[in-house]
Amino acid sequence: MTDLDQLESQSVYILREAFNRIDRLAVLWSIGKDSNVLLWLARKAFFGKVPFPVVQLDTGMELPEVYEFRDMVTRDWGLDLVIEQCPPESEMDPTLPPATRAAARKTEGLKNLLRREQYQGIMVGIRRDEQATRAKERVFSPRALDGAWDFKDQPAEFWDHYKTRFAEGTHVRIHPLLHWTELDIWRYSKREEIPIVPLYFAREGKRYRSLGEKNITFPVDSSAASIDEIISELEVTRTPERAGRSMDNETEDAFERLRSSGYM
């Protein structure tokens, strides 16, 4: 098996384990490269069909190309898409910095979804290498019912053995891509010919490395206009993946505050 085969096999195992063990399951879809790979893996794990709701937390601030891509893939893959409208920024915690306050809309949107639908498990396409706070995560991460996360109270996970039975009233986040890297995502997307939002490819010397709302996410300098060029760029770049995320440049603890309160 290649490295990509091993990553794929492990993620498919996690997806099937979650589906077997956890009641009322859904998957979050940001429509970015990672969650697109997650949906692709779910289709592989369950013979061409994603067997649980696919949730987009919508602030109305995504770029037009993102909405066009969402509608195309939903149609072509036959997804059970749930669009959760997020509350306005005026209702967010005023002590948060401006960009973090804008990002918190998705946190509150997710909380509203959990209160209404009572999902026991939510699958999310995050990776440990993307942001330092996410390195503290587990594959099966227990939370409070509203999604609040105590990073100091997480189960040990050794040799791909995961705790999948939790006390009643526990909400669980499942992270099937936690062990992948940004390079893995692009190499796998190339191998599998997974559809890609065009914003990831350079235009006029800029491209998006990370997709988010247009008011708090910006393109970075790049000439990589194909997957091969993106892979070559990532092999040598020293620029962090989230360099275009304005929230990451506000305060040192902004991301962890959001994660602790239920952010993806």
Side-chain angles (χ1 to χ4, degrees):
M1 296 177 70
T2 67
D3 290 346
L4 292 180
D5 290 331
Q6 291 174 353
L7 289 167
E8 177 188 79
S9 178
Q10 186 176 5
S11 295
V12 165
Y13 165 70
I14 292 166
L15 284 159
R16 289 174 174 167
E17 189 74 1
F19 187 69
N20 182 51
R21 298 283 189 176
I22 295 175
D23 296 327
R24 292 196 58 76
L25 197 62
V27 58
L28 291 187
W29 186 29
S30 71
I31 315 166
K33 61 186 184 302
D34 301 312
S35 59
N36 291 339
V37 165
L38 181 55
L39 291 186
W40 185 269
L41 289 165
R43 294 172 75 230
K44 280 201 166 190
F46 302 106
F47 309 103
K49 180 73 174 176
V50 179
F52 27 72
V54 176
V55 177
Q56 183 212 358
L57 302 172
D58 190 16
T59 61
M61 296 297 292
E62 304 293 346
L63 291 152
E65 293 91 336
V66 172
Y67 289 118
E68 291 170 12
F69 185 88
R70 177 197 69 187
D71 295 343
M72 178 194 72
V73 171
T74 298
R75 180 188 66 247
D76 293 350
W77 292 1
L79 303 177
D80 177 14
L81 179 64
V82 175
I83 299 175
E84 180 71 20
Q85 299 297 333
C86 298
E89 190 174 335
S90 59
E91 296 180 11
M92 300 303 103
D93 181 354
T95 69
L96 292 170
T100 307
R101 190 162 59 249
R105 294 180 62 195
K106 290 191 175 183
T107 304
E108 297 306 314
L110 180 55
K111 287 180 179 180
N112 290 342
L113 177 80
L114 294 176
R115 278 191 292 266
R116 186 180 68 250
E117 301 296 338
Q118 297 293 299
Y119 289 121
Q120 184 190 3
I122 293 285
M123 291 186 287
V124 188
I126 68 167
R127 309 183 328 269
R128 280 198 180 106
D129 76 319
E130 183 185 3
Q131 208 278 341
T133 300
R134 287 176 170 165
K136 302 175 183 179
E137 275 289 9
R138 299 291 186 270
V139 173
F140 286 82
S141 175
R143 311 288 180 102
L145 280 177
D146 64 356
W149 175 52
D150 181 0
F151 64 88
K152 296 179 181 178
D153 185 24
Q154 296 291 301
E157 293 179 337
F158 298 120
W159 305 294
D160 296 339
H161 288 273
Y162 307 116
K163 180 179 179 180
T164 57
R165 297 294 190 191
F166 298 94
E168 187 174 348
T170 302
H171 170 66
V172 184
R173 295 283 171 84
I174 304 102
H175 305 122
L177 302 181
L178 202 59
H179 47 295
W180 293 57
T181 67
E182 186 182 9
L183 262 174
D184 294 330
I185 292 293
W186 282 110
R187 287 170 175 156
Y188 187 76
S189 296
K190 177 188 176 182
R191 189 185 83 172
E192 300 289 308
E193 299 182 343
I194 298 172
I196 302 293
V197 179
L199 294 165
Y200 282 112
F201 302 118
R203 291 183 294 190
E204 299 179 355
K206 298 278 189 179
R207 76 175 186 90
Y208 286 86
R209 260 181 86 183
S210 179
L211 287 183
E213 294 97 318
K214 59 188 177 184
N215 57 328
I216 56 174
T217 310
F218 304 97
V220 298
D221 293 336
S222 173
S223 60
S226 68
I227 292 184
D228 284 331
E229 290 176 353
I230 289 172
I231 290 171
S232 296
E233 178 183 83
L234 293 179
E235 288 173 338
V236 298
T237 187
R238 305 288 292 181
T239 304
E241 181 177 359
R242 292 177 61 91
R245 298 274 191 162
S246 56
M247 177 180 72
D248 290 34
N249 300 309
E250 287 186 319
T251 62
E252 187 175 347
D253 67 341
F255 196 88
E256 187 158 318
R257 286 177 66 185
L258 283 187
R259 292 286 292 164
S260 296
S261 64
Y263 189 70
M264 289 75 73

